[in-house]
């Protein structure tokens, strides 16, 4: 596969969602005319988007296995964003599709000690960090945070304050503010311009390019949509493969930094995907660890205990345990 082919393949999801700039879209269209495999993948993605953007119905229906039919979801158009923001745009529209199912069920327990209303309020708080850095005003009065507080303590306080504030309002008001803030975030120049999104900022203890922070927002929005779906007995579809791949790569990079260069080296892979050596580059690999990409995301998202996540392993059990425990420790969702 040539570099040009790989570059176009990475743009296919954004092309299907209409999220590329004109020059990128023209490059993809020209490539598809001469590449059968990419044309087939592009057609599949376009069909998925067509289903997701299907006409609104008065009453959403479910298939017998409890999955909310993609074709019956009410979707608003995705913002025109660059490829790095497409996973967040897709996650936002996915949550919007699920929200009608919460009518009359906003007190349903979801995760941690949150009900459904609090879960959406938490996302309102979580998105405001990046939104604020990009010039979007917060929609909830500021919290009093002690100067010098550790970022995690400050974050937990802010999330709790926003949840308390939103519990004094209706769920519909909370949803409206969350959706408006998400729309403003996707409307920023950084969401549409990869060059502007290349600058690094520190948010929630992580110094990453703005583009990666958009991926974090997509990851968290999808995780909490999945939480809500589980609470309602609905299976929330996985992100498109291209988006899931981006989320996995980001999680692996963060995990590698957290493990550091002296950890016992482990060959890590996701099912059907890439391989990475985590830990020391100066020692022979001591173990191998393989996870399903969905399970890996749930582990990093704090939805699996390290000892409970399904996995394939060989070699040093202690080295594997170190990777799993460090992955789970990254969770702050």
């Amino acid at each position: 596969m040539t570099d040009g082919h790989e570059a176009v393949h990475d743009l296919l999801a954004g092309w299907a969602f209409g999220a590329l700039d004109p020059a990128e879209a023209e490059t993809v269209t020209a490539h598809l005319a001469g590449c059968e495999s990419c044309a087939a993948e592009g057609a599949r993605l376009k069909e998925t988007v067509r289903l997701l953007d299907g006409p609104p119905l008065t009453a959403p229906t479910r298939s017998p296995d409890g999955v909310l039919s993609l074709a019956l979801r009410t979707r608003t158009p995705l913002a025109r964003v660059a490829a790095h923001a497409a996973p967040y745009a897709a996650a936002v529209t996915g949550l919007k599709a699920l929200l009608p199912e919460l009518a009359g069920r906003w007190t349903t327990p979801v995760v941690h000690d949150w009900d459904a209303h609090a879960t959406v309020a938490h996302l309102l708080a979580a998105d405001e960090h990046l939104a604020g850095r990009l010039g979007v005003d917060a929609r909830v009065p500021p919290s009093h945070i002690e100067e010098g507080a550790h970022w995690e303590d400050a974050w937990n306080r802010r999330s709790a304050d926003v949840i308390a504030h939103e519990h004094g309002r209706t769920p519909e008001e909370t949803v409206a503010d969350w959706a408006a803030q998400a729309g403003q975030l996707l409307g920023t120049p950084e969401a549409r311009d990869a060059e502007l999104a290349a600058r690094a900022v520190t948010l929630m203890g992580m110094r990453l390019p703005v583009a990666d922070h958009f991926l974090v927002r997509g990851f968290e929005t999808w995780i909490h949509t999945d939480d809500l779906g589980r609470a309602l007995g609905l299976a929330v579809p996985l992100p498109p493969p291209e988006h899931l791949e981006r989320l996995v790569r980001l999680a692996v990079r963060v995990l590698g930094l957290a493990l550091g260069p002296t950890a016992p080296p482990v060959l890590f892979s996701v099912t059907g995907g890439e391989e990475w050596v985590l830990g020391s580059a100066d020692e022979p690999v001591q173990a191998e660890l393989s996870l399903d990409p969905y399970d890996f995301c749930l582990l990093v998202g704090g939805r699996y205990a390290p000892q409970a996540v399904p996995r394939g392993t060989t070699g040093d059990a202690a080295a594997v345990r170190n990777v799993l425990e460090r992955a789970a420790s990254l969770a702050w969702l």
Side-chain angles (χ1 to χ4, degrees), residues 120-262:
V120 178
H122 169 78
L123 283 173
L124 176 63
D127 282 350
E128 74 177 11
H129 294 265
L130 179 58
R133 284 298 185 96
L134 301 185
V136 177
D137 292 335
R139 293 175 171 267
V140 179
S143 300
H144 175 69
I145 305 295
E146 292 184 10
E147 187 176 352
H150 186 268
W151 75 265
E152 193 166 6
D153 294 333
W155 161 232
N156 289 334
R157 173 64 183 273
R158 180 56 178 167
S159 180
D161 286 351
V162 172
I163 288 171
H165 180 271
E166 295 305 308
H167 268 152
R169 308 170 74 217
T170 67
E172 291 75 18
E173 289 172 320
T174 301
V175 167
D177 272 353
W178 165 77
Q181 180 177 255
Q184 286 182 285
L185 183 51
L186 288 166
T188 60
E190 289 83 355
R192 301 190 299 270
D193 189 322
E195 185 174 346
L196 289 176
R199 67 182 176 93
V201 298
T202 300
L203 296 172
M204 297 182 182
M206 295 185 292
R207 184 164 181 79
L208 298 168
V210 167
D212 284 345
H213 284 296
F214 269 105
L215 281 177
V216 173
R217 302 304 336 121
F219 180 83
E220 181 167 9
T221 303
W222 165 63
I223 284 285
H224 287 309
T225 302
D226 190 68
D227 290 335
L228 289 163
R230 288 168 181 261
L232 296 174
L234 295 172
V236 171
L238 289 172
E242 294 76 12
H243 294 183
L244 187 61
E245 182 180 348
R246 285 176 178 268
L247 298 178
V248 166
R249 285 179 178 176
L250 174 62
V252 169
R253 291 206 309 272
V254 174
L255 175 57
L257 291 173
L259 285 166
T262 61

Side-chain angles (χ1 to χ4, degrees), residues 10 25 35 64 115 126 133 135 139 165 214 219 238 270 291 299 312 319 326:
D10 287 343
C35 179
D115 60 11
R133 284 298 185 96
R139 293 175 171 267
H165 180 271
F214 269 105
F219 180 83
L238 289 172
V270 292
L291 294 174
L299 174 67
R326 189 59 59 93

